Amino acid sequence: MSTLKIAIQKSGRLNEDSIQILKDCGISINNGIDQLKAEASNFPLEVLYLRNSDIPQYLIDGVVDLAIVGDNLLVEKGKGIEVVQKLGFSKCKVSVAVPKTFEYNSVQDLANLRIATSYPNTVNEYFNQFGITVDIHQISGSVEIAPNIGLADAIVDIVSSGSTLFKNNLKEVEVILKSEAVLAVSPKVSPEIQKHIDTLKFRIQAVLRARNSKYILMNVPNDKIDAVGKILPVLRSLTVLPLAQEGWSSVHSVIDKDTFWDVIDQLKEVGAEGILVCPIEKMVL
């Protein structure tokens, strides 16, 4: 049987979240400290731990079949690589930042400035759409220090919380793109490998649906069940079980965690009581 090869970042938060989602998919990975390669014991999968910046080329060359990688990196180095699933973690922005003392009104204020970045292709493409010329200084590592040492007038870098910019007396002025971790596939996968990819994608989608949902159950007067059904975003239909107390039923459904409190308020208004909310481990449709 062929083995699916997946690349993930060898260290950092993206590494941790990538390993976790594979574990949540029921895949047991036999990895030790400082290993560059590890096999799953219960799925035809091999994990390669790579430098983040190298992953797009490994996909293009077909060295790996899949990768969990930030889509900002695919914009920079992996044009044409197919994204088969957004994963919802490691969210960030690729942004333009300038010193706090810089008077900024519009993107035109950045014309002809020296910009330090690890994303030269992304920067060129962004400014070209405005017909603006900038002087790009490609560097790796601590990009945010460049204005303080006189290397650049501005930077383009990843921004998560903004604390690093604040510490270096910089302010965000333009967001070039928003990014998150994605599941990306090589253009050179075989039909047999594609079957493994489809299986893994199915499991990941079940995990993601569960992460974004909660199981909800409540006691509802029978004459209010229709009103509750109009509020709840059910999968197919409500589960309704009669209670020992006449005229009441226990109603079960699934709720989106992002709209949880608004929905709870509406349910209380129509007469729902004893509302319980539980986590969901997996959700298979």
Side-chain angles (χ1 to χ4, degrees):
M1 179 183 292
S2 58
T3 300
L4 174 63
K5 295 182 179 180
I6 183 169
I8 66 172
Q9 184 176 308
K10 66 180 181 180
S11 61
R13 181 63 182 273
L14 183 53
N15 167 277
E16 296 170 6
D17 289 338
S18 300
I19 292 294
Q20 187 59 54
I21 198 168
L22 292 177
K23 288 182 177 179
D24 290 345
C25 288
I27 297 173
S28 179
I29 301 168
N30 302 315
N31 62 305
I33 298 175
D34 296 329
Q35 272 189 285
L36 299 179
K37 187 169 67 171
E39 292 185 359
S41 59
N42 57 352
F43 192 85
L45 179 77
E46 184 176 71
V47 179
L48 277 69
Y49 300 99
L50 304 174
R51 284 199 318 169
N52 205 36
S53 59
D54 292 338
I55 290 176
Q57 193 60 51
Y58 276 69
L59 283 168
I60 292 169
D61 293 342
V63 176
V64 296
D65 307 302
L66 275 179
I68 296 177
V69 63
D71 59 357
N72 60 293
L73 199 57
L74 298 182
V75 170
E76 176 65 23
K77 293 186 172 184
K79 290 288 187 181
I81 293 176
E82 182 185 3
V83 171
V84 295
Q85 182 66 54
K86 293 188 175 183
L87 299 176
F89 55 82
S90 294
K91 293 186 177 182
C92 64
K93 298 173 287 185
V94 177
S95 299
V96 183
V98 298
K100 291 180 180 179
T101 55
F102 188 97
E103 292 188 15
Y104 185 83
N105 298 300
S106 74
V107 69
Q108 299 297 330
D109 294 332
L110 302 171
N112 301 314
L113 294 187
R114 298 170 300 162
I115 296 183
T117 185
S118 300
Y119 301 93
N121 296 328
T122 303
V123 173
N124 266 324
E125 187 173 324
Y126 177 73
F127 285 105
N128 284 343
Q129 68 180 319
F130 298 105
I132 294 174
T133 299
V134 294
D135 181 13
I136 295 176
H137 289 244
Q138 183 177 354
I139 60 176
S140 58
S142 302
V143 175
E144 64 276 356
I145 199 174
N148 292 329
I149 62 176
L151 179 63
D153 305 303
I155 69 167
V156 171
D157 201 14
I158 289 176
V159 176
S160 295
S161 65
S163 61
T164 302
L165 295 182
F166 180 81
K167 292 175 183 177
N168 287 275
N169 293 311
L170 300 173
K171 61 182 179 181
E172 181 184 50
V173 293
E174 294 287 340
V175 176
I176 293 180
L177 60 89
K178 293 182 179 180
S179 175
E180 65 181 275
V182 297
L183 188 67
V185 62
S186 168
K188 297 184 178 182
V189 296
S190 67
E192 187 175 3
I193 289 295
Q194 185 61 52
K195 291 180 181 178
H196 296 327
I197 292 174
D198 293 341
T199 300
L200 180 60
K201 180 182 173 183
F202 175 82
R203 294 191 186 188
I204 287 175
Q205 289 175 339
V207 169
L208 294 178
R209 279 192 293 265
R211 287 183 180 181
N212 294 325
S213 305
K214 299 290 184 182
Y215 189 76
I216 186 169
L217 55 157
M218 71 209 79
N219 298 329
V220 179
N222 288 342
D223 61 353
K224 298 296 184 181
I225 290 175
D226 287 344
V228 167
K230 293 177 182 178
I231 296 170
L232 288 173
V234 297
L235 297 177
R236 187 178 296 273
S237 65
L238 296 175
T239 298
V240 180
L241 303 172
L243 294 179
Q245 182 176 348
E246 187 174 348
W248 284 77
S249 294
S250 176
V251 176
H252 301 217
S253 188
V254 172
I255 186 172
D256 190 317
K257 71 174 186 179
D258 292 332
T259 59
F260 166 75
W261 288 113
D262 289 338
V263 172
I264 292 298
D265 290 340
Q266 294 177 57
L267 291 172
K268 290 175 63 179
E269 286 178 6
V270 300
E273 298 179 1
I275 301 172
L276 299 179
V277 180
C278 308
I280 302 173
E281 184 174 339
K282 305 288 186 299
M283 196 162 121
V284 180
L285 299 183

